[in-house]
Amino acid sequence: MKKIPVVFCAMCVIASAIYFASCGLGYAKITGIKVSVVLPDADNYSDALADSSTLCENDYVLETGKSYQLTVEYTASGGSKFPGFGDINDIELFYDSEIFKITPPNVEFVQTVRYELVCLRSVNYAAVIVQEGEYTASVIISAK
């Protein structure tokens, strides 16, 4: 008689393991990339630098000569493990080097890549375009 509860419990454990494995124990599916500009504080993930009068979500008003961070990360859905960048050299940045100075970080595998960004001169509506594989995102930057 004691074997029935033990067998039942074992079946419940196996069923639970199969259920949770199918619900996201693997990596999330990458759906794109997200790019933003933040202050050089490691805990700052907000878009506080986006001016309230700007037209777009990724439209920033920065100060010339001040150091910021251009962050790049995947957007993903499903799974319980968030994907990271295996080789940040696969990320391409397209920008005007007379307007921006962008310095890559010295890291290998990371979930959020943080480039140092400095606006070299005043500008209205300059773009930094980021491409990683088939995914593209951009930010619009004005500097005073």
Side-chain angles (χ1 to χ4, degrees), residues 1-133:
M1 193 69 160
K2 290 183 181 180
K3 291 182 182 180
I4 292 175
V6 172
V7 171
F8 180 72
C9 288
M11 289 177 24
C12 288
V13 169
I14 291 170
S16 296
I18 291 170
Y19 173 77
F20 286 117
S22 66
C23 289
L25 290 178
Y27 280 95
K29 181 181 182 210
I30 298 170
T31 58
I33 57 174
K34 177 184 177 188
V35 181
S36 60
V37 178
V38 298
L39 293 170
D41 174 5
D43 295 329
N44 185 347
Y45 289 97
S46 71
D47 285 334
L49 296 174
D51 186 87
S52 61
S53 65
T54 59
L55 300 175
C56 304
E57 178 182 334
N58 276 353
D59 192 356
Y60 299 91
V61 178
L62 308 178
E63 293 180 34
T64 304
K66 189 173 178 181
S67 182
Y68 298 92
Q69 288 185 343
L70 178 74
T71 65
V72 181
E73 58 191 348
Y74 283 121
T75 57
S77 66
S80 62
K81 297 176 185 174
F82 201 80
F85 295 97
D87 185 0
I88 66 165
N89 294 318
D90 292 340
I91 301 172
E92 294 183 83
L93 302 178
F94 301 96
Y95 61 95
D96 188 336
S97 60
E98 293 180 10
I99 299 173
F100 304 112
K101 178 183 174 192
I102 301 177
T103 309
N106 187 15
V107 295
E108 290 180 20
F109 180 84
V110 350
Q111 287 184 338
T112 302
V113 180
R114 295 173 175 268
Y115 296 87
E116 180 184 2
L117 167 72
V118 176
C119 297
L120 301 174
R121 62 183 177 94
S122 294
V123 66
N124 286 322
Y125 306 113
V128 176
I129 300 169
V130 180
Q131 182 174 2
E132 197 281 329

